Amino acid sequence: MTEPVVPVPARPPIPVRLAHAPLAQGLVVPHITLAHRDRTRPVWGKLDHRRLREALSRRLCQVCGQPLDDRVVLYIRPADHLRGISPEPGVHPECGHYSRQACPMLAGRQTRYNPHPPEKFARCEDPACQCRRWQANERDSREAPREGQPADAWYEVWIPISDYTTVHDPGTDTAPPVTGIELRGAKLLKIRKVRDAAPAADGTSHPVDLLRAHLAFAAMFGYGGLRL
Ligand SMILES: [Zn+2]
Ligand SMILES: [Zn+2]
């Protein structure tokens, strides 16, 4: 009888820009990830909303927290493309390169959204840590629950910093409000798919990947820089 194979989390090489970033289990703790005051103790999968707002308004990289450069990399799903907003702040190209390898969702190793997100937080012993004020997020009733759902396709989009604009979409009866980076009208310097959508477990077909269809259509007409 052979031993079951336990998947080892990837620990990709850390780029120079992230040399001083906090590490947890050998992985960089992104700047906007919720963490205790000792940032080597993150709550994986949870965002620090104050840091998220600051990253958007001050044009900071969501991984290293430093100001973005001329070229900004965004990671988006087909639904973000349809809505014209990237809900996540941009990253430096080298921070994106690292994230593509380290993030199980972007690397394609994760096929479902976390079915049991941590909603109860462990408090630490540091009296100056903010963790005593952490609260579970209230879900917007217009938001489809993602937990346990098959992973979406993800794309990498490069835009110039001159087109990096934060917008707020107040939402509709069926769509929750979102604040993020305006995709409509932004000059796309490069687009490529970084992972496919995971198949649904019950055999139902995944929503049509309209971004892929859009890019395939654009490619027929000689739209540059496409690598699907
Ligand atoms: Zn704490
Ligand atoms: Zn960065």
Side-chain angles (χ1 to χ4, degrees):
M1 209 174 141
T2 54
E3 291 290 315
V5 178
V6 178
V8 178
R11 291 189 181 83
I14 293 169
V16 172
R17 194 188 280 278
L18 291 167
H20 302 289
L23 297 179
Q25 294 101 46
L27 293 169
V28 166
V29 179
H31 181 71
I32 65 167
T33 294
L34 185 67
H36 292 272
R37 198 160 78 99
D38 170 4
R39 289 196 58 82
T40 65
R41 298 181 59 185
V43 185
W44 292 117
K46 282 279 170 193
L47 292 177
D48 181 324
H49 290 276
R50 188 187 62 77
R51 284 176 172 246
L52 171 64
R53 282 194 300 275
E54 186 195 47
L56 287 169
S57 64
R58 294 181 52 204
R59 295 177 165 190
L60 307 178
C61 170
Q62 67 156 298
V63 178
C64 70
Q66 296 163 29
L68 291 164
D69 292 334
D70 293 352
R71 295 186 166 212
V72 181
V73 178
L74 296 167
Y75 290 96
I76 62 168
R77 300 159 303 155
D80 304 327
H81 170 69
L82 274 182
R83 198 164 183 186
I85 297 178
S86 164
E88 296 202 11
V91 297
H92 295 108
E94 63 267 45
C95 296
H97 181 77
Y98 175 80
S99 301
R100 278 205 320 275
Q101 301 167 75
C103 168
M105 188 54 84
L106 289 182
R109 293 190 300 274
Q110 189 171 338
T111 56
R112 319 207 133 249
Y113 287 97
N114 186 353
H116 302 293
E119 286 294 342
K120 286 203 166 57
F121 303 111
R123 309 293 186 227
C124 72
E125 312 73 40
D126 180 350
C129 182
Q130 294 289 315
C131 63
R132 278 155 191 79
R133 298 193 203 161
W134 290 349
Q135 291 174 351
N137 294 340
E138 294 275 327
R139 187 195 299 284
D140 190 301
S141 60
R142 292 163 290 182
E143 195 176 347
R146 289 210 296 190
E147 290 81 16
Q149 293 298 308
D152 291 296
W154 284 85
Y155 288 84
E156 179 179 291
V157 176
W158 292 45
I159 66 169
I161 189 88
S162 53
D163 286 352
Y164 190 83
T165 321
T166 300
V167 286
H168 178 72
D169 178 339
T172 62
D173 290 346
T174 53
V178 65
T179 300
I181 306 305
E182 174 99 88
L183 295 172
R184 277 189 204 97
K187 184 181 182 193
L188 303 183
L189 302 170
K190 199 194 304 191
I191 311 170
R192 66 182 185 131
K193 184 182 256 190
V194 295
R195 70 158 293 164
D196 283 311
D202 59 3
T204 55
S205 60
H206 212 271
V208 177
D209 184 347
L210 287 172
L211 180 54
R212 182 177 175 80
H214 171 88
L215 294 181
F217 180 81
M220 282 197 296
F221 292 92
Y223 190 72
L226 295 180
R227 284 189 285 147
L228 294 179

